[in-house]
Short mmCIF file of all heavy atoms in Angstrom, two decimals:
data_model
loop_
_atom_site.label_atom_id
_atom_site.label_comp_id
_atom_site.label_asym_id
_atom_site.label_seq_id
_atom_site.Cartn_x
_atom_site.Cartn_y
_atom_site.Cartn_z
N GLN A 336 2.99 -5.06 -18.97
CA GLN A 336 3.30 -5.35 -17.59
C GLN A 336 4.28 -4.34 -17.03
O GLN A 336 4.11 -3.93 -15.89
CB GLN A 336 3.73 -6.79 -17.43
CG GLN A 336 3.90 -7.17 -15.92
CD GLN A 336 2.62 -6.97 -15.07
OE1 GLN A 336 1.56 -7.56 -15.49
NE2 GLN A 336 2.71 -6.24 -14.07
N ASP A 340 3.81 -1.96 -13.81
CA ASP A 340 4.88 -1.82 -12.77
C ASP A 340 5.29 -0.40 -12.58
O ASP A 340 5.47 0.12 -11.45
CB ASP A 340 6.03 -2.76 -13.06
CG ASP A 340 5.72 -4.16 -13.07
OD1 ASP A 340 4.62 -4.59 -12.51
OD2 ASP A 340 6.51 -5.00 -13.62
N VAL A 354 -3.06 -4.73 -9.29
CA VAL A 354 -2.68 -6.14 -9.16
C VAL A 354 -3.32 -6.72 -10.30
O VAL A 354 -4.51 -6.66 -10.64
CB VAL A 354 -3.17 -6.70 -7.85
CG1 VAL A 354 -2.92 -8.20 -7.80
CG2 VAL A 354 -2.52 -6.03 -6.64
N ARG A 355 -2.52 -7.64 -11.02
CA ARG A 355 -3.01 -8.30 -12.23
C ARG A 355 -3.06 -9.79 -11.79
O ARG A 355 -2.14 -10.38 -11.20
CB ARG A 355 -1.92 -8.14 -13.32
CG ARG A 355 -2.44 -8.78 -14.58
CD ARG A 355 -1.53 -8.47 -15.75
NE ARG A 355 -1.95 -9.13 -16.95
CZ ARG A 355 -1.32 -9.07 -18.11
NH1 ARG A 355 -0.30 -8.25 -18.20
NH2 ARG A 355 -1.79 -9.72 -19.13
N ASN A 356 -4.16 -10.36 -12.18
CA ASN A 356 -4.33 -11.82 -11.99
C ASN A 356 -5.00 -12.32 -13.26
O ASN A 356 -6.13 -12.17 -13.54
CB ASN A 356 -5.32 -12.09 -10.81
CG ASN A 356 -5.48 -13.60 -10.52
OD1 ASN A 356 -5.43 -14.43 -11.41
ND2 ASN A 356 -5.80 -13.89 -9.26
N GLY A 357 -4.12 -12.94 -14.14
CA GLY A 357 -4.59 -13.33 -15.43
C GLY A 357 -5.00 -12.15 -16.26
O GLY A 357 -4.20 -11.21 -16.49
N ALA A 378 -4.35 -13.34 -4.82
CA ALA A 378 -3.02 -13.83 -4.72
C ALA A 378 -3.05 -15.39 -4.60
O ALA A 378 -3.69 -15.91 -3.77
CB ALA A 378 -2.28 -13.21 -3.58
N THR A 379 -2.37 -16.09 -5.49
CA THR A 379 -2.34 -17.53 -5.39
C THR A 379 -1.23 -17.97 -4.46
O THR A 379 -0.23 -17.27 -4.24
CB THR A 379 -2.07 -18.18 -6.82
OG1 THR A 379 -0.88 -17.70 -7.33
CG2 THR A 379 -3.27 -17.97 -7.78
N VAL A 381 1.98 -19.97 -3.42
CA VAL A 381 3.05 -20.66 -4.05
C VAL A 381 4.02 -21.13 -2.99
O VAL A 381 4.14 -20.50 -1.91
CB VAL A 381 3.84 -19.76 -5.06
CG1 VAL A 381 2.94 -19.33 -6.21
CG2 VAL A 381 4.40 -18.53 -4.46
N LEU A 386 9.44 -19.37 -6.06
CA LEU A 386 9.61 -17.93 -6.20
C LEU A 386 10.59 -17.53 -7.30
O LEU A 386 10.38 -16.61 -8.10
CB LEU A 386 10.10 -17.25 -4.93
CG LEU A 386 9.10 -17.25 -3.81
CD1 LEU A 386 9.70 -16.64 -2.52
CD2 LEU A 386 7.89 -16.37 -4.18
N GLU A 388 10.96 -19.06 -10.05
CA GLU A 388 10.36 -19.33 -11.37
C GLU A 388 9.22 -18.31 -11.80
O GLU A 388 8.92 -18.26 -12.95
CB GLU A 388 9.77 -20.66 -11.41
CG GLU A 388 10.67 -21.86 -10.97
CD GLU A 388 9.93 -23.06 -10.60
OE1 GLU A 388 8.65 -23.21 -10.77
OE2 GLU A 388 10.58 -24.06 -10.10
N ARG A 389 8.86 -17.55 -10.81
CA ARG A 389 7.69 -16.60 -11.07
C ARG A 389 8.25 -15.25 -11.50
O ARG A 389 9.30 -14.84 -11.15
CB ARG A 389 6.88 -16.45 -9.79
CG ARG A 389 6.32 -17.71 -9.22
CD ARG A 389 5.20 -18.35 -10.07
NE ARG A 389 4.10 -17.52 -10.29
CZ ARG A 389 2.89 -17.78 -9.85
NH1 ARG A 389 2.69 -18.80 -9.17
NH2 ARG A 389 1.89 -17.00 -10.08
N ALA A 390 7.33 -14.54 -12.20
CA ALA A 390 7.77 -13.17 -12.63
C ALA A 390 7.77 -12.26 -11.35
O ALA A 390 6.91 -12.39 -10.45
CB ALA A 390 6.70 -12.65 -13.62
N SER A 391 8.66 -11.31 -11.36
CA SER A 391 8.94 -10.48 -10.21
C SER A 391 7.64 -9.65 -9.89
O SER A 391 7.43 -9.35 -8.70
CB SER A 391 9.99 -9.48 -10.48
OG SER A 391 11.21 -10.20 -10.57
N HIS A 392 6.84 -9.34 -10.82
CA HIS A 392 5.66 -8.40 -10.60
C HIS A 392 4.41 -9.21 -10.09
O HIS A 392 3.47 -8.58 -9.64
CB HIS A 392 5.34 -7.69 -11.88
CG HIS A 392 4.96 -8.58 -12.98
ND1 HIS A 392 5.87 -8.94 -13.93
CD2 HIS A 392 3.81 -9.21 -13.32
CE1 HIS A 392 5.36 -9.75 -14.86
NE2 HIS A 392 4.11 -9.95 -14.49
N ASP A 393 4.45 -10.57 -10.18
CA ASP A 393 3.23 -11.32 -9.78
C ASP A 393 3.01 -11.07 -8.22
O ASP A 393 3.96 -11.08 -7.42
CB ASP A 393 3.53 -12.83 -9.92
CG ASP A 393 3.35 -13.29 -11.36
OD1 ASP A 393 2.93 -12.43 -12.20
OD2 ASP A 393 3.73 -14.42 -11.76
N VAL A 394 1.81 -10.90 -7.85
CA VAL A 394 1.42 -10.81 -6.39
C VAL A 394 0.97 -12.19 -6.05
O VAL A 394 -0.03 -12.77 -6.58
CB VAL A 394 0.42 -9.78 -6.16
CG1 VAL A 394 -0.09 -9.77 -4.71
CG2 VAL A 394 0.94 -8.34 -6.50
N VAL A 395 1.65 -12.82 -5.10
CA VAL A 395 1.33 -14.14 -4.68
C VAL A 395 1.34 -14.24 -3.07
O VAL A 395 1.82 -13.30 -2.43
CB VAL A 395 2.31 -15.18 -5.18
CG1 VAL A 395 2.17 -15.23 -6.68
CG2 VAL A 395 3.71 -14.96 -4.77
N LYS A 396 0.94 -15.36 -2.53
CA LYS A 396 1.04 -15.65 -1.10
C LYS A 396 2.08 -16.76 -0.97
O LYS A 396 2.18 -17.68 -1.79
CB LYS A 396 -0.25 -16.23 -0.51
CG LYS A 396 -1.37 -15.30 -0.43
CD LYS A 396 -2.57 -15.88 0.19
CE LYS A 396 -3.53 -16.33 -0.81
NZ LYS A 396 -4.86 -16.59 -0.27
N MET A 419 2.80 -5.06 1.73
CA MET A 419 1.52 -4.59 1.40
C MET A 419 0.55 -4.90 2.55
O MET A 419 -0.38 -4.15 2.82
CB MET A 419 0.94 -5.29 0.11
CG MET A 419 1.50 -4.83 -1.14
SD MET A 419 0.74 -5.64 -2.53
CE MET A 419 1.86 -5.32 -3.80
N THR A 434 1.77 -12.07 1.76
CA THR A 434 1.19 -11.73 0.43
C THR A 434 1.93 -10.52 -0.08
O THR A 434 1.80 -9.42 0.59
CB THR A 434 -0.32 -11.47 0.57
OG1 THR A 434 -0.89 -12.60 1.17
CG2 THR A 434 -0.95 -11.22 -0.77
N GLU A 435 2.59 -10.68 -1.23
CA GLU A 435 3.39 -9.50 -1.75
C GLU A 435 3.77 -9.87 -3.18
O GLU A 435 3.54 -10.90 -3.74
CB GLU A 435 4.54 -9.39 -0.82
CG GLU A 435 5.53 -8.26 -1.08
CD GLU A 435 4.78 -6.87 -1.05
OE1 GLU A 435 4.44 -6.36 0.04
OE2 GLU A 435 4.63 -6.36 -2.13
N THR A 436 4.49 -8.94 -3.84
CA THR A 436 5.02 -9.25 -5.12
C THR A 436 6.19 -10.28 -4.95
O THR A 436 6.77 -10.34 -3.92
CB THR A 436 5.67 -7.97 -5.78
OG1 THR A 436 6.76 -7.50 -5.02
CG2 THR A 436 4.62 -6.84 -5.98
N VAL A 437 6.39 -11.03 -5.98
CA VAL A 437 7.42 -12.08 -6.02
C VAL A 437 8.81 -11.35 -5.67
O VAL A 437 9.59 -11.94 -4.83
CB VAL A 437 7.48 -12.83 -7.26
CG1 VAL A 437 8.79 -13.75 -7.36
CG2 VAL A 437 6.21 -13.71 -7.36
N ALA A 438 9.05 -10.19 -6.21
CA ALA A 438 10.31 -9.50 -5.99
C ALA A 438 10.61 -9.28 -4.50
O ALA A 438 11.59 -9.53 -3.92
CB ALA A 438 10.42 -8.29 -6.80
N LYS A 439 9.51 -8.81 -3.89
CA LYS A 439 9.61 -8.49 -2.39
C LYS A 439 9.63 -9.85 -1.57
O LYS A 439 10.32 -9.86 -0.58
CB LYS A 439 8.48 -7.63 -1.96
CG LYS A 439 8.90 -6.77 -0.73
CD LYS A 439 7.91 -5.67 -0.42
CE LYS A 439 8.63 -4.29 -0.67
NZ LYS A 439 7.80 -3.21 -0.18
N LEU A 440 8.93 -10.79 -2.02
CA LEU A 440 9.05 -12.10 -1.31
C LEU A 440 10.38 -12.70 -1.40
O LEU A 440 10.80 -13.40 -0.45
CB LEU A 440 7.94 -13.07 -1.87
CG LEU A 440 6.55 -12.68 -1.51
CD1 LEU A 440 5.54 -13.61 -2.22
CD2 LEU A 440 6.29 -12.77 -0.01
#
Side-chain angles (χ1 to χ4, degrees):
Q336 186 56 54
D340 293 344
V354 175
R355 184 175 178 177
N356 184 331
T379 57
V381 299
L386 290 175
E388 303 163 10
R389 302 294 296 248
S391 295
H392 60 265
D393 286 350
V394 175
V395 298
K396 294 183 256 198
M419 285 185 197
T434 303
E435 188 53 76
T436 63
V437 168
K439 206 167 247 190
L440 288 173

